[in-house]
Amino acid sequence: MSRYPRPSRLPGLVIVAAFFLSGCGYHFAASGDALPSGANTIYVSRFSNSTRLTGVNDEFMRYMKDEIALHRRLKVVDSPDAADLELSGDVRFVNQTPTNFNSALEPTQYTQSIVVSASLKDLHAKKTIWTTRNVSAGEHTPIVPQTTVATTPSFLQQNLRANDIANLTDIQTAQSETSAYRDLMMQRLAQDVYSQMAEGF
């Protein structure tokens, strides 16, 4: 007998799968199902900063606004008076730690990490409708040409290529890669915050 389902059974399997997925609360990423149906605008208030890194909250807010705008479910406005919803939060933790070393015990790779908390308020109902304490993101960051793998998806998102890295000094590589991987980290953190907010996780 064939190990594949008969064509006549396929519609039934699809229906069963659909019921299963809807029953367990699964939704396609960031569809916005948990947002109030009448909400069309959002104000992103200035996140507070509980770290010692000045300006990291303002830096993350730019990525957060871009992520919200990307999905086109909500329009970002400049005032809470014009908004249906308000997103606020706190950058709780930022760190950069050496994780790999060469034979002279000099760092060759760092791990960058960030943690935020966030909450979403319905300004018409005057109540908080979603909150989270720990959304985190991190990136392993090569800081010398020898540890930079030019075939990884993270590297390929940059403007540099393998030949470019080979011609950079260690200091230039560290500056370039730290900035590039920080950008990816902030993007992924904003994606996670939006996804959780939009789906009510």
Side-chain angles (χ1 to χ4, degrees):
M1 295 180 62
S2 172
R3 58 194 177 101
Y4 299 104
R6 295 177 182 175
S8 60
R9 294 181 182 177
L10 289 178
L13 292 174
V14 171
I15 292 171
V16 170
F19 275 114
F20 172 78
L21 293 176
S22 62
C24 70
Y26 178 88
H27 301 283
F28 291 106
S31 62
D33 289 354
L35 298 172
S37 58
N40 298 307
T41 56
I42 186 170
Y43 172 68
V44 182
S45 66
R46 189 170 188 257
F47 275 42
S48 58
N49 184 4
S50 297
T51 77
R52 295 183 179 181
L53 187 61
T54 303
V56 67
N57 52 331
D58 296 322
E59 181 184 1
F60 173 67
M61 277 180 59
R62 293 194 295 271
Y63 288 89
M64 194 69 246
K65 289 180 179 180
D66 287 346
E67 183 65 23
I68 294 171
L70 180 67
H71 289 271
R72 300 182 180 180
R73 168 61 180 83
L74 298 167
K75 179 182 179 182
V76 178
V77 295
D78 296 328
S79 167
D81 295 334
D84 300 314
L85 306 172
E86 179 178 0
L87 177 67
S88 59
D90 176 44
V91 180
R92 302 180 59 199
F93 177 80
V94 176
N95 194 32
Q96 181 170 290
T97 306
T99 51
N100 284 345
F101 302 84
N102 61 19
S103 59
L105 297 181
E106 298 168 332
T108 59
Q109 186 180 67
Y110 279 82
T111 295
Q112 302 183 76
S113 55
I114 182 171
V115 179
V116 303
S117 62
S119 62
L120 185 67
K121 184 177 182 181
D122 185 326
L123 294 177
H124 299 298
K126 293 181 171 54
K127 66 177 183 180
T128 299
I129 58 175
W130 170 80
T131 185
T132 184
R133 288 282 298 164
N134 293 297
V135 184
S136 62
E139 287 289 337
H140 298 296
T141 307
I143 60 170
V144 294
Q146 293 81 3
T147 59
T148 302
V149 181
T151 56
T152 63
S154 296
F155 182 85
L156 292 174
Q157 292 184 49
Q158 304 177 40
N159 293 325
L160 295 174
R161 291 298 177 259
N163 291 339
D164 301 321
I165 287 291
N167 293 324
L168 297 180
T169 65
D170 287 356
I171 293 176
Q172 290 173 325
T173 301
Q175 292 174 337
S176 173
E177 294 301 271
T178 298
S179 175
Y181 281 86
R182 183 182 182 85
D183 178 67
L184 288 174
M185 179 179 71
M186 290 288 187
Q187 287 181 31
R188 288 173 181 168
L189 181 63
Q191 290 168 3
D192 286 347
V193 171
Y194 180 85
S195 179
Q196 292 189 31
M197 176 187 78
E199 297 304 321
F201 293 150

